[in-house]
Amino acid sequence: NAGVTQTPKFQVLKTGQSMTLQCAQDMNHEYMSWYRQDPGMGLRLIHYSVGAGITDQGEVPNGYNVSRSTTEDFPLRLLSAAPSQTSVYFCASSLQASGAYEQYFGPGTRLTVT
Amino acid sequence: ILNVEQSPQSLHVQEGDSTNFTCSFPSSNFYALHWYRWETAKSPEALFVMTLNGDEKKKGRISATLNTKEGYSYLYIKGSQPEDSATYLCASGTALIFGKGTTLSVSS
């Protein structure tokens, strides 16, 4: 199994541009989530999904959209990038949404918005 | 959105010292408490997932305890080694909310 994969690894955007961060898992996990990591802030939950077709907002959802059309994929869209969205983004998945299963993290995407 | 807090924020110990960190979380509607280890330039990796009050888990020199009634968990590292240097995160909730972490530095 490849586990949780994320593309791209690095990205530079100009303010106002849009892009999609890709996340995929091959473990047949129901639950997937997106976090951003900022210095001194730890990991903050952006959006999560408890299964295909179901998504919900986390702690910091503004400026981001998600969809979950398949069990495997959970892309994160930035509609109009802002410098405040400069961060490292981690996708994670777990077997089910109960919170009782460990999360597996992808390698991260480092995004810079100028 | 629930509030998960960790202390201390950072810690520096000498090789061979034992140490512990604290994670506090809301005790109402408790589902599970997670501990992750996060090394620089890597992704977080799960250490423990704990669900029962009084639960105690161990992996090598690292162990954790859980008190769901008062809403806290302790992570213990016995005989710290330089390779234990990392940030240790705890998280709780069905949609996992993380604390800001405790960064441990172990000097040889």
mmCIF file with all atom_site columns, all heavy atoms in Angstrom, chain A residues 54-75:
data_model
loop_
_atom_site.group_PDB
_atom_site.id
_atom_site.type_symbol
_atom_site.label_atom_id
_atom_site.label_alt_id
_atom_site.label_comp_id
_atom_site.label_asym_id
_atom_site.label_entity_id
_atom_site.label_seq_id
_atom_site.pdbx_PDB_ins_code
_atom_site.Cartn_x
_atom_site.Cartn_y
_atom_site.Cartn_z
_atom_site.occupancy
_atom_site.B_iso_or_equiv
_atom_site.pdbx_formal_charge
_atom_site.auth_seq_id
_atom_site.auth_comp_id
_atom_site.auth_asym_id
_atom_site.auth_atom_id
_atom_site.pdbx_PDB_model_num
ATOM 1   N N   . ILE A 1 54 ? -19.852 13.037 1.894  1.00 0.00 ? 54 ILE A N   1
ATOM 2   C CA  . ILE A 1 54 ? -20.114 13.743 3.155  1.00 0.00 ? 54 ILE A CA  1
ATOM 3   C C   . ILE A 1 54 ? -18.871 14.514 3.577  1.00 0.00 ? 54 ILE A C   1
ATOM 4   O O   . ILE A 1 54 ? -17.794 13.932 3.737  1.00 0.00 ? 54 ILE A O   1
ATOM 5   C CB  . ILE A 1 54 ? -20.485 12.755 4.277  1.00 0.00 ? 54 ILE A CB  1
ATOM 6   C CG1 . ILE A 1 54 ? -21.637 11.859 3.849  1.00 0.00 ? 54 ILE A CG1 1
ATOM 7   C CG2 . ILE A 1 54 ? -20.836 13.511 5.557  1.00 0.00 ? 54 ILE A CG2 1
ATOM 8   C CD1 . ILE A 1 54 ? -21.886 10.698 4.786  1.00 0.00 ? 54 ILE A CD1 1
ATOM 9   N N   . THR A 1 55 ? -19.025 15.837 3.740  1.00 0.00 ? 55 THR A N   1
ATOM 10  C CA  . THR A 1 55 ? -17.914 16.652 4.229  1.00 0.00 ? 55 THR A CA  1
ATOM 11  C C   . THR A 1 55 ? -18.421 17.604 5.299  1.00 0.00 ? 55 THR A C   1
ATOM 12  O O   . THR A 1 55 ? -19.630 17.891 5.368  1.00 0.00 ? 55 THR A O   1
ATOM 13  C CB  . THR A 1 55 ? -17.260 17.471 3.101  1.00 0.00 ? 55 THR A CB  1
ATOM 14  O OG1 . THR A 1 55 ? -18.205 18.410 2.585  1.00 0.00 ? 55 THR A OG1 1
ATOM 15  C CG2 . THR A 1 55 ? -16.763 16.570 1.970  1.00 0.00 ? 55 THR A CG2 1
ATOM 16  N N   . ASP A 1 56 ? -17.514 18.111 6.104  1.00 0.00 ? 56 ASP A N   1
ATOM 17  C CA  . ASP A 1 56 ? -17.898 19.046 7.159  1.00 0.00 ? 56 ASP A CA  1
ATOM 18  C C   . ASP A 1 56 ? -16.725 19.960 7.469  1.00 0.00 ? 56 ASP A C   1
ATOM 19  O O   . ASP A 1 56 ? -15.571 19.653 7.129  1.00 0.00 ? 56 ASP A O   1
ATOM 20  C CB  . ASP A 1 56 ? -18.339 18.315 8.416  1.00 0.00 ? 56 ASP A CB  1
ATOM 21  C CG  . ASP A 1 56 ? -19.349 19.124 9.224  1.00 0.00 ? 56 ASP A CG  1
ATOM 22  O OD1 . ASP A 1 56 ? -19.472 20.352 9.007  1.00 0.00 ? 56 ASP A OD1 1
ATOM 23  O OD2 . ASP A 1 56 ? -20.016 18.536 10.095 1.00 0.00 ? 56 ASP A OD2 1
ATOM 24  N N   . GLN A 1 57 ? -17.026 21.088 8.106  1.00 0.00 ? 57 GLN A N   1
ATOM 25  C CA  . GLN A 1 57 ? -16.004 22.080 8.399  1.00 0.00 ? 57 GLN A CA  1
ATOM 26  C C   . GLN A 1 57 ? -15.289 21.765 9.703  1.00 0.00 ? 57 GLN A C   1
ATOM 27  O O   . GLN A 1 57 ? -15.884 21.255 10.650 1.00 0.00 ? 57 GLN A O   1
ATOM 28  C CB  . GLN A 1 57 ? -16.659 23.464 8.496  1.00 0.00 ? 57 GLN A CB  1
ATOM 29  C CG  . GLN A 1 57 ? -17.280 23.933 7.201  1.00 0.00 ? 57 GLN A CG  1
ATOM 30  C CD  . GLN A 1 57 ? -17.892 25.320 7.328  1.00 0.00 ? 57 GLN A CD  1
ATOM 31  O OE1 . GLN A 1 57 ? -17.995 25.872 8.413  1.00 0.00 ? 57 GLN A OE1 1
ATOM 32  N NE2 . GLN A 1 57 ? -18.281 25.886 6.210  1.00 0.00 ? 57 GLN A NE2 1
ATOM 33  N N   . GLY A 1 58 ? -14.016 22.130 9.745  1.00 0.00 ? 58 GLY A N   1
ATOM 34  C CA  . GLY A 1 58 ? -13.228 21.999 10.955 1.00 0.00 ? 58 GLY A CA  1
ATOM 35  C C   . GLY A 1 58 ? -13.048 23.338 11.646 1.00 0.00 ? 58 GLY A C   1
ATOM 36  O O   . GLY A 1 58 ? -13.954 24.164 11.652 1.00 0.00 ? 58 GLY A O   1
ATOM 37  N N   . GLU A 1 59 ? -11.863 23.550 12.196 1.00 0.00 ? 59 GLU A N   1
ATOM 38  C CA  . GLU A 1 59 ? -11.583 24.767 12.955 1.00 0.00 ? 59 GLU A CA  1
ATOM 39  C C   . GLU A 1 59 ? -11.374 26.001 12.081 1.00 0.00 ? 59 GLU A C   1
ATOM 40  O O   . GLU A 1 59 ? -11.740 27.110 12.455 1.00 0.00 ? 59 GLU A O   1
ATOM 41  C CB  . GLU A 1 59 ? -10.301 24.574 13.780 1.00 0.00 ? 59 GLU A CB  1
ATOM 42  C CG  . GLU A 1 59 ? -10.330 23.431 14.764 1.00 0.00 ? 59 GLU A CG  1
ATOM 43  C CD  . GLU A 1 59 ? -8.948  23.211 15.353 1.00 0.00 ? 59 GLU A CD  1
ATOM 44  O OE1 . GLU A 1 59 ? -8.150  22.481 14.726 1.00 0.00 ? 59 GLU A OE1 1
ATOM 45  O OE2 . GLU A 1 59 ? -8.672  23.770 16.426 1.00 0.00 ? 59 GLU A OE2 1
ATOM 46  N N   . VAL A 1 60 ? -10.752 25.798 10.916 1.00 0.00 ? 60 VAL A N   1
ATOM 47  C CA  . VAL A 1 60 ? -10.357 26.946 10.079 1.00 0.00 ? 60 VAL A CA  1
ATOM 48  C C   . VAL A 1 60 ? -10.763 26.705 8.630  1.00 0.00 ? 60 VAL A C   1
ATOM 49  O O   . VAL A 1 60 ? -9.922  26.601 7.736  1.00 0.00 ? 60 VAL A O   1
ATOM 50  C CB  . VAL A 1 60 ? -8.834  27.212 10.209 1.00 0.00 ? 60 VAL A CB  1
ATOM 51  C CG1 . VAL A 1 60 ? -8.499  27.807 11.554 1.00 0.00 ? 60 VAL A CG1 1
ATOM 52  C CG2 . VAL A 1 60 ? -8.034  25.933 9.960  1.00 0.00 ? 60 VAL A CG2 1
ATOM 53  N N   . PRO A 1 61 ? -12.071 26.643 8.304  1.00 0.00 ? 61 PRO A N   1
ATOM 54  C CA  . PRO A 1 61 ? -12.505 26.270 6.948  1.00 0.00 ? 61 PRO A CA  1
ATOM 55  C C   . PRO A 1 61 ? -12.521 27.412 5.931  1.00 0.00 ? 61 PRO A C   1
ATOM 56  O O   . PRO A 1 61 ? -12.584 27.154 4.719  1.00 0.00 ? 61 PRO A O   1
ATOM 57  C CB  . PRO A 1 61 ? -13.930 25.784 7.194  1.00 0.00 ? 61 PRO A CB  1
ATOM 58  C CG  . PRO A 1 61 ? -14.404 26.624 8.356  1.00 0.00 ? 61 PRO A CG  1
ATOM 59  C CD  . PRO A 1 61 ? -13.187 26.813 9.229  1.00 0.00 ? 61 PRO A CD  1
ATOM 60  N N   . ASN A 1 62 ? -12.482 28.664 6.390  1.00 0.00 ? 62 ASN A N   1
ATOM 61  C CA  . ASN A 1 62 ? -12.673 29.789 5.464  1.00 0.00 ? 62 ASN A CA  1
ATOM 62  C C   . ASN A 1 62 ? -11.566 29.852 4.420  1.00 0.00 ? 62 ASN A C   1
ATOM 63  O O   . ASN A 1 62 ? -10.389 29.796 4.728  1.00 0.00 ? 62 ASN A O   1
ATOM 64  C CB  . ASN A 1 62 ? -12.728 31.107 6.247  1.00 0.00 ? 62 ASN A CB  1
ATOM 65  C CG  . ASN A 1 62 ? -13.977 31.201 7.092  1.00 0.00 ? 62 ASN A CG  1
ATOM 66  O OD1 . ASN A 1 62 ? -14.944 30.472 6.865  1.00 0.00 ? 62 ASN A OD1 1
ATOM 67  N ND2 . ASN A 1 62 ? -13.960 32.072 8.082  1.00 0.00 ? 62 ASN A ND2 1
ATOM 68  N N   . GLY A 1 63 ? -11.986 30.003 3.162  1.00 0.00 ? 63 GLY A N   1
ATOM 69  C CA  . GLY A 1 63 ? -11.048 30.095 2.050  1.00 0.00 ? 63 GLY A CA  1
ATOM 70  C C   . GLY A 1 63 ? -10.742 28.759 1.400  1.00 0.00 ? 63 GLY A C   1
ATOM 71  O O   . GLY A 1 63 ? -9.980  28.722 0.424  1.00 0.00 ? 63 GLY A O   1
ATOM 72  N N   . TYR A 1 64 ? -11.333 27.689 1.920  1.00 0.00 ? 64 TYR A N   1
ATOM 73  C CA  . TYR A 1 64 ? -11.074 26.339 1.404  1.00 0.00 ? 64 TYR A CA  1
ATOM 74  C C   . TYR A 1 64 ? -12.391 25.623 1.095  1.00 0.00 ? 64 TYR A C   1
ATOM 75  O O   . TYR A 1 64 ? -13.357 25.758 1.827  1.00 0.00 ? 64 TYR A O   1
ATOM 76  C CB  . TYR A 1 64 ? -10.315 25.496 2.425  1.00 0.00 ? 64 TYR A CB  1
ATOM 77  C CG  . TYR A 1 64 ? -9.054  26.112 2.963  1.00 0.00 ? 64 TYR A CG  1
ATOM 78  C CD1 . TYR A 1 64 ? -9.069  26.815 4.163  1.00 0.00 ? 64 TYR A CD1 1
ATOM 79  C CD2 . TYR A 1 64 ? -7.846  25.974 2.288  1.00 0.00 ? 64 TYR A CD2 1
ATOM 80  C CE1 . TYR A 1 64 ? -7.916  27.381 4.678  1.00 0.00 ? 64 TYR A CE1 1
ATOM 81  C CE2 . TYR A 1 64 ? -6.679  26.529 2.806  1.00 0.00 ? 64 TYR A CE2 1
ATOM 82  C CZ  . TYR A 1 64 ? -6.727  27.231 3.994  1.00 0.00 ? 64 TYR A CZ  1
ATOM 83  O OH  . TYR A 1 64 ? -5.576  27.784 4.507  1.00 0.00 ? 64 TYR A OH  1
ATOM 84  N N   . ASN A 1 65 ? -12.364 24.853 0.013  1.00 0.00 ? 65 ASN A N   1
ATOM 85  C CA  . ASN A 1 65 ? -13.490 23.971 -0.305 1.00 0.00 ? 65 ASN A CA  1
ATOM 86  C C   . ASN A 1 65 ? -12.985 22.543 -0.441 1.00 0.00 ? 65 ASN A C   1
ATOM 87  O O   . ASN A 1 65 ? -11.830 22.321 -0.842 1.00 0.00 ? 65 ASN A O   1
ATOM 88  C CB  . ASN A 1 65 ? -14.140 24.376 -1.634 1.00 0.00 ? 65 ASN A CB  1
ATOM 89  C CG  . ASN A 1 65 ? -15.103 25.523 -1.468 1.00 0.00 ? 65 ASN A CG  1
ATOM 90  O OD1 . ASN A 1 65 ? -15.352 25.988 -0.357 1.00 0.00 ? 65 ASN A OD1 1
ATOM 91  N ND2 . ASN A 1 65 ? -15.642 25.990 -2.573 1.00 0.00 ? 65 ASN A ND2 1
ATOM 92  N N   . VAL A 1 66 ? -13.850 21.596 -0.134 1.00 0.00 ? 66 VAL A N   1
ATOM 93  C CA  . VAL A 1 66 ? -13.513 20.182 -0.324 1.00 0.00 ? 66 VAL A CA  1
ATOM 94  C C   . VAL A 1 66 ? -14.695 19.459 -0.937 1.00 0.00 ? 66 VAL A C   1
ATOM 95  O O   . VAL A 1 66 ? -15.827 19.944 -0.915 1.00 0.00 ? 66 VAL A O   1
ATOM 96  C CB  . VAL A 1 66 ? -13.145 19.483 0.999  1.00 0.00 ? 66 VAL A CB  1
ATOM 97  C CG1 . VAL A 1 66 ? -11.826 20.001 1.563  1.00 0.00 ? 66 VAL A CG1 1
ATOM 98  C CG2 . VAL A 1 66 ? -14.269 19.622 2.014  1.00 0.00 ? 66 VAL A CG2 1
ATOM 99  N N   . SER A 1 67 ? -14.408 18.297 -1.485 1.00 0.00 ? 67 SER A N   1
ATOM 100 C CA  . SER A 1 67 ? -15.440 17.384 -1.956 1.00 0.00 ? 67 SER A CA  1
ATOM 101 C C   . SER A 1 67 ? -14.921 15.973 -1.765 1.00 0.00 ? 67 SER A C   1
ATOM 102 O O   . SER A 1 67 ? -13.712 15.753 -1.678 1.00 0.00 ? 67 SER A O   1
ATOM 103 C CB  . SER A 1 67 ? -15.788 17.642 -3.420 1.00 0.00 ? 67 SER A CB  1
ATOM 104 O OG  . SER A 1 67 ? -14.632 17.478 -4.233 1.00 0.00 ? 67 SER A OG  1
ATOM 105 N N   . ARG A 1 68 ? -15.818 15.017 -1.716 1.00 0.00 ? 68 ARG A N   1
ATOM 106 C CA  . ARG A 1 68 ? -15.409 13.606 -1.553 1.00 0.00 ? 68 ARG A CA  1
ATOM 107 C C   . ARG A 1 68 ? -16.315 12.765 -2.445 1.00 0.00 ? 68 ARG A C   1
ATOM 108 O O   . ARG A 1 68 ? -17.303 12.204 -2.019 1.00 0.00 ? 68 ARG A O   1
ATOM 109 C CB  . ARG A 1 68 ? -15.562 13.195 -0.083 1.00 0.00 ? 68 ARG A CB  1
ATOM 110 C CG  . ARG A 1 68 ? -15.068 11.768 0.188  1.00 0.00 ? 68 ARG A CG  1
ATOM 111 C CD  . ARG A 1 68 ? -13.705 11.746 0.770  1.00 0.00 ? 68 ARG A CD  1
ATOM 112 N NE  . ARG A 1 68 ? -13.246 10.392 1.054  1.00 0.00 ? 68 ARG A NE  1
ATOM 113 C CZ  . ARG A 1 68 ? -13.381 9.776  2.236  1.00 0.00 ? 68 ARG A CZ  1
ATOM 114 N NH1 . ARG A 1 68 ? -14.027 10.398 3.234  1.00 0.00 ? 68 ARG A NH1 1
ATOM 115 N NH2 . ARG A 1 68 ? -12.917 8.580  2.411  1.00 0.00 ? 68 ARG A NH2 1
ATOM 116 N N   . SER A 1 69 ? -15.928 12.663 -3.715 1.00 0.00 ? 69 SER A N   1
ATOM 117 C CA  . SER A 1 69 ? -16.734 11.903 -4.661 1.00 0.00 ? 69 SER A CA  1
ATOM 118 C C   . SER A 1 69 ? -16.399 10.417 -4.625 1.00 0.00 ? 69 SER A C   1
ATOM 119 O O   . SER A 1 69 ? -17.220 9.590  -5.033 1.00 0.00 ? 69 SER A O   1
ATOM 120 C CB  . SER A 1 69 ? -16.563 12.450 -6.079 1.00 0.00 ? 69 SER A CB  1
ATOM 121 O OG  . SER A 1 69 ? -15.191 12.442 -6.432 1.00 0.00 ? 69 SER A OG  1
ATOM 122 N N   . THR A 1 70 ? -15.214 10.062 -4.156 1.00 0.00 ? 70 THR A N   1
ATOM 123 C CA  . THR A 1 70 ? -14.833 8.650  -4.018 1.00 0.00 ? 70 THR A CA  1
ATOM 124 C C   . THR A 1 70 ? -14.264 8.423  -2.627 1.00 0.00 ? 70 THR A C   1
ATOM 125 O O   . THR A 1 70 ? -13.857 9.374  -1.950 1.00 0.00 ? 70 THR A O   1
ATOM 126 C CB  . THR A 1 70 ? -13.774 8.230  -5.048 1.00 0.00 ? 70 THR A CB  1
ATOM 127 O OG1 . THR A 1 70 ? -12.547 8.924  -4.763 1.00 0.00 ? 70 THR A OG1 1
ATOM 128 C CG2 . THR A 1 70 ? -14.213 8.561  -6.474 1.00 0.00 ? 70 THR A CG2 1
ATOM 129 N N   . THR A 1 71 ? -14.182 7.173  -2.212 1.00 0.00 ? 71 THR A N   1
ATOM 130 C CA  . THR A 1 71 ? -13.572 6.862  -0.919 1.00 0.00 ? 71 THR A CA  1
ATOM 131 C C   . THR A 1 71 ? -12.092 7.221  -0.908 1.00 0.00 ? 71 THR A C   1
ATOM 132 O O   . THR A 1 71 ? -11.553 7.640  0.110  1.00 0.00 ? 71 THR A O   1
ATOM 133 C CB  . THR A 1 71 ? -13.728 5.359  -0.614 1.00 0.00 ? 71 THR A CB  1
ATOM 134 O OG1 . THR A 1 71 ? -15.109 5.045  -0.565 1.00 0.00 ? 71 THR A OG1 1
ATOM 135 C CG2 . THR A 1 71 ? -13.085 4.992  0.717  1.00 0.00 ? 71 THR A CG2 1
ATOM 136 N N   . GLU A 1 72 ? -11.428 7.092  -2.077 1.00 0.00 ? 72 GLU A N   1
ATOM 137 C CA  . GLU A 1 72 ? -9.979  7.227  -2.128 1.00 0.00 ? 72 GLU A CA  1
ATOM 138 C C   . GLU A 1 72 ? -9.486  8.672  -2.111 1.00 0.00 ? 72 GLU A C   1
ATOM 139 O O   . GLU A 1 72 ? -8.400  8.953  -1.632 1.00 0.00 ? 72 GLU A O   1
ATOM 140 C CB  . GLU A 1 72 ? -9.436  6.548  -3.392 1.00 0.00 ? 72 GLU A CB  1
ATOM 141 C CG  . GLU A 1 72 ? -9.610  5.044  -3.436 1.00 0.00 ? 72 GLU A CG  1
ATOM 142 C CD  . GLU A 1 72 ? -11.032 4.632  -3.802 1.00 0.00 ? 72 GLU A CD  1
ATOM 143 O OE1 . GLU A 1 72 ? -11.779 5.460  -4.362 1.00 0.00 ? 72 GLU A OE1 1
ATOM 144 O OE2 . GLU A 1 72 ? -11.400 3.463  -3.518 1.00 0.00 ? 72 GLU A OE2 1
ATOM 145 N N   . ASP A 1 73 ? -10.247 9.607  -2.685 1.00 0.00 ? 73 ASP A N   1
ATOM 146 C CA  . ASP A 1 73 ? -9.721  10.941 -2.943 1.00 0.00 ? 73 ASP A CA  1
ATOM 147 C C   . ASP A 1 73 ? -10.417 12.018 -2.129 1.00 0.00 ? 73 ASP A C   1
ATOM 148 O O   . ASP A 1 73 ? -11.645 11.996 -1.962 1.00 0.00 ? 73 ASP A O   1
ATOM 149 C CB  . ASP A 1 73 ? -9.858  11.270 -4.435 1.00 0.00 ? 73 ASP A CB  1
ATOM 150 C CG  . ASP A 1 73 ? -9.105  10.286 -5.298 1.00 0.00 ? 73 ASP A CG  1
ATOM 151 O OD1 . ASP A 1 73 ? -7.873  10.215 -5.158 1.00 0.00 ? 73 ASP A OD1 1
ATOM 152 O OD2 . ASP A 1 73 ? -9.758  9.576  -6.089 1.00 0.00 ? 73 ASP A OD2 1
ATOM 153 N N   . PHE A 1 74 ? -9.637  13.000 -1.683 1.00 0.00 ? 74 PHE A N   1
ATOM 154 C CA  . PHE A 1 74 ? -10.200 14.099 -0.885 1.00 0.00 ? 74 PHE A CA  1
ATOM 155 C C   . PHE A 1 74 ? -9.416  15.372 -1.218 1.00 0.00 ? 74 PHE A C   1
ATOM 156 O O   . PHE A 1 74 ? -8.546  15.806 -0.472 1.00 0.00 ? 74 PHE A O   1
ATOM 157 C CB  . PHE A 1 74 ? -10.098 13.749 0.605  1.00 0.00 ? 74 PHE A CB  1
ATOM 158 C CG  . PHE A 1 74 ? -10.854 14.683 1.514  1.00 0.00 ? 74 PHE A CG  1
ATOM 159 C CD1 . PHE A 1 74 ? -12.127 15.121 1.197  1.00 0.00 ? 74 PHE A CD1 1
ATOM 160 C CD2 . PHE A 1 74 ? -10.300 15.090 2.725  1.00 0.00 ? 74 PHE A CD2 1
ATOM 161 C CE1 . PHE A 1 74 ? -12.836 15.962 2.053  1.00 0.00 ? 74 PHE A CE1 1
ATOM 162 C CE2 . PHE A 1 74 ? -10.994 15.928 3.589  1.00 0.00 ? 74 PHE A CE2 1
ATOM 163 C CZ  . PHE A 1 74 ? -12.262 16.350 3.250  1.00 0.00 ? 74 PHE A CZ  1
ATOM 164 N N   . PRO A 1 75 ? -9.720  16.004 -2.339 1.00 0.00 ? 75 PRO A N   1
ATOM 165 C CA  . PRO A 1 75 ? -8.971  17.204 -2.746 1.00 0.00 ? 75 PRO A CA  1
ATOM 166 C C   . PRO A 1 75 ? -9.375  18.440 -1.948 1.00 0.00 ? 75 PRO A C   1
ATOM 167 O O   . PRO A 1 75 ? -10.534 18.587 -1.542 1.00 0.00 ? 75 PRO A O   1
ATOM 168 C CB  . PRO A 1 75 ? -9.349  17.357 -4.222 1.00 0.00 ? 75 PRO A CB  1
ATOM 169 C CG  . PRO A 1 75 ? -10.684 16.694 -4.344 1.00 0.00 ? 75 PRO A CG  1
ATOM 170 C CD  . PRO A 1 75 ? -10.700 15.574 -3.348 1.00 0.00 ? 75 PRO A CD  1
#
